[in-house]
Amino acid sequence: MRAQADLFGVENSQKRPSETTACKPKVRGAPKSAVASPRKVQFLTIDEVMKRYSVSHATVWRWVKHNEHFPAPVKLSPGTSRWSEDQLIAFENRARSRQSGKRSKTSQKAPV
């Protein structure tokens, strides 16, 4: 009978690279306190998106369908959608910059 392969496709009789006796070289660089830990990605439910913008359920879905700038939800399963908070923040920042651009253009017009 042939030996079964584990999850990594390596037969049990073979050693994985992590099981070798060679020591890994120490990496010297920034101190641990200076290294930024990866930020967890936060996903919001439709109720949280509704509260964030003070709009209805239908309005959120209308924005998804008709507003090319509004982030599309991530489909986790049928009937389960979530919005990336990072994408929503980027959307808000773009909307602010568009608004400030419109204001500066109107304020630069010469009075008639």
Side-chain angles (χ1 to χ4, degrees):
M1 181 180 232
R2 201 178 122 178
Q4 284 188 317
D6 67 2
L7 294 174
F8 301 101
V10 179
E11 291 187 19
N12 292 336
S13 62
Q14 296 176 345
K15 286 191 171 188
R16 292 182 200 95
S18 62
E19 295 174 342
T20 61
T21 57
C23 295
K24 292 182 181 179
K26 289 186 178 183
V27 177
R28 295 182 189 227
K32 288 183 180 181
S33 61
V35 176
S37 61
R39 186 173 165 261
K40 290 184 180 181
V41 177
Q42 181 74 29
F43 289 94
L44 305 179
T45 65
I46 190 158
D47 290 338
E48 292 168 327
V49 174
M50 289 167 40
K51 288 178 186 174
R52 184 180 192 104
Y53 299 112
S54 301
V55 296
S56 70
H57 184 274
T59 299
V60 173
W61 286 113
R62 188 178 313 111
W63 288 349
V64 169
K65 187 174 180 180
H66 297 292
N67 186 338
E68 64 187 35
H69 302 290
F70 192 74
V74 176
K75 286 289 212 180
L76 300 178
S77 66
T80 305
S81 299
R82 298 291 185 266
W83 281 262
S84 166
E85 186 176 38
D86 291 342
Q87 290 179 356
L88 291 172
I89 291 170
F91 164 73
E92 293 163 4
N93 291 336
R94 285 190 309 267
R96 277 191 209 105
S97 65
R98 282 192 303 270
Q99 287 294 343
S100 64
K102 286 180 182 178
R103 286 185 200 142
S104 63
K105 287 179 184 178
T106 57
S107 62
Q108 291 175 357
K109 290 182 180 179
V112 179

